[in-house]
Amino acid sequence: MKHDNLIEEIKARIDIVELITEHLDLKRAGQNFKGLCPFHAEKTPSFMVSPSKQIFHCFGCNKGGDILAFIMNYENMTFQEALSYLSNRAGLKTEDFGKGQEINKSLKESLYAIQKEALNYFKNNLKTSKQALSYLNERGLKPEIIEMFSLGFSKNEKDALLSHLRKQGFSAEHIKASGLVYFGESGSHDFFRDRLMFPIFDLQGKVVAFGGRTLSSLKNVPKYINSPDSAIFKKGELSYGLNIAKNFITQKGYSIIVEGYFDAIICHQNGFGNAVAPLGTALTVGHLKKLKRFSSKVLLIFDGDSAGISAARRALEIVYSEGITAKVVMLSEGEDPDTFLRQHGEEKFRKYIAGAVSPVQFLLRVYGRNKLDTVRYILHLISLSPDKLQKDETIRELSECSKIHEMTLRDELKNISRKFSKTSRTADGYHEGSQKPVSLNVSAPSKEEEILLHIAILMPEKTPSILSRLDMTGIENHIVKGLFEKLKNLKVSVADKNLFFEKLLNACNDEEQKLITGFSIKSEIDEDNADKIMEDCLRMISTRRLEKQIKLAGEMGDEKLLHSLITEKNRMLQKAS
């Protein structure tokens, strides 16, 4: 029995409320049930269970998910252990589950073989591609570093890899599961074509996926793409180059985290063998947990633009939540480790990163104009850390750098911790006396973003209209933006609300699931006024985007653009009045 089918059968047979009431005292609260959260200490119930949606969510610690997520968290089980436990409880045949495990094991072995065959195929292609070799030469890569990272090339042909894999005897089902070939209604084609190939290895040195950089000059082609997640690959858990860097990280005592494939490769070529990179995504808890096996210290290097600053700030939140010690290097705008090392060399780069600053120094330097807001945000970061020594050291540094008395900061930190522990819900779904995590304005989610997403999740029939008119560049919060992207790519009819919700939940990571379960258990949207609320939210998001562009145009002194933007804003406001 496949996992998807098994999970569906478990949910059909076991009611989440009945299961949780065996462990907690739940009481009816309207359409839902409420109780004290088992995952954090609280005196006022904030743990909610929805029988209609078969999900739970705590508005105190923000944990949420389905029946599997509850058992995994409550019993500290792995996914496989929770699946086995619940299948037995549901009365499903254990021998069927065993067969499913054997099938899954066989699939994984086949996927490893397919990825290895693809690796050899791409490497051989590179040897005969003048275009790809010339490009690598222009980027300054030496032959030995190309071999070390097993770089390759995918031909600009529709199904060259597919034909090769079929000749090697791999089944269409397993080739499809590998993510290397796309199978659709209009036929099949290789996922990677005319791209420089970066194989991605697990910690054991097995190739599990690929990244590809286009060599095409077409503007509508994405520069980088990665293999989709599979039975052997999870993008949010592996760091590029970690299979090579792990021993260097242990020796050096810290890892260097850069943003791109070439950044990591050039670092290694210049003697910085402890460099790794996330796989075209933001740094995640999964990345840090694996890095933490080798060292609990990291050096974060980011591009010196607004996107780099925003990425650094987001990274620091999970760095502190994992109790990791970090320093930050921000390069000049327009530069990254790749360009810096090629232009200035190893010694200058070494001196540059020697000037790395602590998170406190970095945040105060970048957001120094909003000193008090920045101090409160740093206190929020400190509150996330499970390491008491890290908390104490950071408080002392913050006091010294901000010139605010240490006792004052400690009192404020106590207030933040106390506020987070209060869990009485208010009308907007947060808690009386509590506060939302402090964040700087650069990516704080607006109420309009949250409401619009709330409508899209609870009223999926409205989703197509929202997505067709929503300007994604106006969405500031990366989690909200990611969820709208997933809604856009969700291949399921909006008419089936239960299936729509289930598919969306399954497509999301832990962070996104928490937001969804939180929205779903909140009070229902006013359906009679939903269209008007949508209009207001869409207009506010567009207006906010225009105001930022107007401010930027004014700072640049571009009077023509400034006039055009002001005219557009006035036209929008007149239309709304």
Side-chain angles (χ1 to χ4, degrees):
M1 184 180 292
K2 293 184 179 180
H3 280 170
D4 288 349
N5 294 334
L6 182 60
I7 292 169
E8 289 175 9
E9 191 64 28
I10 286 170
K11 290 181 178 179
R13 297 191 185 195
I14 303 177
D15 180 75
I16 193 170
V17 176
E18 292 179 3
L19 177 79
I20 293 179
T21 49
E22 294 181 6
H23 305 282
L24 310 177
D25 181 20
L26 295 179
K27 294 182 179 179
R28 170 72 71 172
Q31 296 181 358
N32 303 314
F33 288 82
K34 179 188 286 188
L36 293 173
C37 179
F39 305 122
H40 80 288
E42 62 176 11
K43 294 182 179 179
T44 305
S46 62
F47 183 87
M48 306 291 291
V49 184
S50 169
S52 62
K53 296 183 175 69
Q54 290 291 293
I55 58 172
F56 74 92
H57 187 88
C58 175
F59 289 92
C61 66
N62 211 31
K63 283 189 182 295
D66 58 11
I67 193 170
L68 268 164
F70 178 82
I71 287 297
M72 288 170 67
N73 282 281
Y74 190 84
E75 300 289 356
N76 195 27
M77 290 183 175
T78 65
F79 174 80
Q80 289 288 354
E81 289 169 343
L83 201 60
S84 178
Y85 168 82
L86 290 172
S87 66
N88 289 332
R89 180 188 172 94
L92 299 172
K93 293 181 179 180
T94 54
E95 58 265 31
D96 286 345
F97 178 56
K99 289 175 185 176
Q101 288 179 313
E102 289 301 317
I103 290 170
N104 191 47
K105 182 179 178 182
S106 174
L107 171 63
K108 285 186 175 181
E109 289 174 349
S110 180
L111 292 182
Y112 282 124
I114 288 172
Q115 301 292 346
K116 185 176 180 180
E117 186 61 38
L119 171 66
N120 293 330
Y121 177 76
F122 291 140
K123 287 178 69 175
N124 287 330
N125 288 347
L126 180 62
K127 294 175 183 177
T128 58
S129 173
K130 292 182 180 179
Q131 179 193 16
L133 289 172
S134 174
Y135 179 81
L136 290 174
N137 184 56
E138 290 174 8
R139 298 294 295 252
L141 268 64
K142 298 176 181 178
E144 56 267 30
I145 206 76
I146 294 173
E147 182 60 30
M148 179 188 293
F149 282 87
S150 299
L151 301 187
F153 176 68
S154 55
K155 294 179 179 179
N156 190 18
E157 298 175 12
K158 181 182 178 183
D159 56 2
L161 177 61
L162 172 59
S163 298
H164 177 79
L165 292 174
R166 279 176 169 165
K167 287 177 183 177
Q168 303 305 311
F170 294 108
S171 69
E173 180 185 2
H174 286 181
I175 293 172
K176 181 179 180 180
S178 74
L180 291 170
V181 178
Y182 173 80
F183 289 82
E185 295 179 359
S186 58
S188 56
H189 61 78
D190 292 352
F191 187 76
F192 297 99
R193 287 176 290 175
D194 195 24
R195 288 180 179 271
L196 186 65
M197 301 300 295
F198 302 85
I200 299 163
F201 297 86
D202 64 17
L203 290 177
Q204 288 71 47
K206 294 180 180 179
V207 60
V208 294
F210 291 87
R213 201 254 188 229
T214 185
L215 296 181
S216 170
S217 58
L218 297 175
K219 292 183 179 180
N220 61 342
V221 176
K223 184 180 289 187
Y224 285 94
I225 58 174
N226 289 317
S227 294
D229 283 7
S230 71
I232 61 173
F233 172 60
K234 296 292 181 288
K235 186 167 66 173
E237 296 179 1
L238 280 177
S239 297
Y240 181 68
L242 183 55
N243 60 306
I244 300 172
K246 58 185 181 181
N247 292 333
F248 292 98
I249 292 172
T250 303
Q251 293 167 12
K252 294 285 187 180
Y254 68 98
S255 56
I256 298 176
I257 302 178
V258 294
E259 292 190 82
Y261 292 110
F262 275 111
D263 293 328
I265 292 171
I266 292 295
C267 279
H268 278 258
Q269 183 168 285
N270 284 273
F272 302 93
N274 51 336
V276 298
L279 303 174
T281 185
L283 191 66
T284 68
V285 170
H287 293 136
L288 288 179
K289 285 188 181 298
K290 279 195 167 53
L291 288 172
K292 204 173 179 180
R293 295 183 189 179
F294 308 103
S295 174
S296 60
K297 295 180 179 179
V298 299
L299 174 64
L300 302 166
I301 302 182
F302 290 96
D303 301 352
D305 53 17
S306 59
I309 293 171
S310 181
R313 189 189 58 79
R314 289 195 303 268
L316 289 175
E317 293 196 5
I318 60 172
V319 162
Y320 269 92
S321 70
E322 286 299 305
I324 287 176
T325 301
K327 286 199 170 183
V328 184
V329 170
M330 187 63 61
L331 298 175
S332 302
E333 188 165 358
E335 281 192 330
D336 53 38
D338 175 29
T339 58
F340 190 103
L341 279 163
R342 285 192 284 129
Q343 291 175 13
H344 306 294
E346 173 191 342
E347 286 306 313
K348 192 166 183 179
F349 186 72
R350 198 176 296 279
K351 290 178 181 177
Y352 198 94
I353 64 175
V357 298
S358 69
V360 170
Q361 292 169 316
F362 166 73
L363 291 168
L364 286 172
R365 183 180 299 174
V366 173
Y367 303 109
R369 292 181 180 179
N370 302 313
K371 178 181 174 181
L372 293 181
D373 286 345
T374 306
V375 169
R376 289 190 180 97
Y377 178 70
I378 295 171
L379 288 171
H380 161 63
L381 290 182
I382 295 171
S383 73
L384 297 176
S385 175
D387 188 328
K388 290 182 179 179
L389 292 177
Q390 184 185 40
K391 285 184 174 182
D392 189 73
E393 184 179 353
T394 310
I395 279 280
R396 292 178 188 276
E397 183 189 12
L398 179 58
S399 174
E400 183 179 338
C401 293
S402 67
K403 308 304 180 186
I404 297 175
H405 198 282
E406 186 177 323
M407 290 307 299
T408 303
L409 294 175
R410 291 186 183 278
D411 288 340
E412 183 63 21
L413 181 62
K414 287 179 182 178
N415 289 335
I416 290 174
S417 301
R418 193 179 300 119
K419 287 174 182 177
F420 276 127
S421 68
K422 292 183 180 180
T423 52
S424 299
R425 280 190 73 194
T426 59
D428 68 356
Y430 291 92
H431 310 284
E432 185 180 358
S434 74
Q435 65 181 44
K436 303 174 191 179
V438 181
S439 61
L440 299 170
N441 291 334
V442 289
S443 66
S446 71
K447 198 65 179 175
E448 292 78 24
E449 291 175 7
E450 292 186 349
I451 292 172
L452 210 56
L453 183 59
H454 199 168
I455 294 173
I457 291 172
L458 296 186
M459 302 177 68
E461 68 275 12
K462 304 288 186 184
T463 303
S465 176
I466 291 173
L467 293 175
S468 66
R469 300 167 57 202
L470 179 63
D471 182 356
M472 296 293 280
T473 61
I475 302 297
E476 298 173 339
N477 182 265
H478 72 285
I479 303 176
V480 174
K481 183 178 288 188
L483 280 167
F484 274 121
E485 291 288 355
K486 284 182 170 63
L487 285 168
K488 186 184 294 185
N489 297 323
L490 202 62
K491 305 299 182 185
V492 60
S493 171
V494 296
D496 190 337
K497 288 189 176 183
N498 290 333
L499 181 60
F500 178 87
F501 182 82
E502 186 74 15
K503 292 291 186 184
L504 177 61
L505 202 64
N506 290 341
C508 293
N509 58 36
D510 290 345
E511 203 174 28
E512 293 164 338
Q513 281 190 3
K514 289 173 186 177
L515 193 58
I516 292 173
T517 55
F519 279 157
S520 301
I521 295 181
K522 284 182 184 179
S523 57
E524 297 293 326
I525 289 289
D526 180 0
E527 296 190 12
D528 293 336
N529 294 308
D531 288 335
K532 184 180 185 305
I533 294 170
M534 280 170 49
E535 293 290 339
D536 291 342
C537 289
L538 288 165
R539 185 175 65 255
M540 285 298 295
I541 290 171
S542 295
T543 301
R544 191 165 54 244
R545 175 184 59 80
L546 280 172
E547 287 172 346
K548 286 189 175 183
Q549 291 178 334
I550 288 170
K551 182 180 178 181
L552 183 60
E555 292 173 351
M556 293 170 58
D558 191 333
E559 293 186 7
K560 184 177 180 181
L561 177 60
L562 183 62
H563 178 74
S564 174
L565 290 169
I566 292 173
T567 301
E568 184 180 349
K569 179 184 175 183
N570 290 336
R571 187 165 54 245
M572 183 185 298
L573 294 175
Q574 288 172 2
K575 186 178 179 181
S577 61

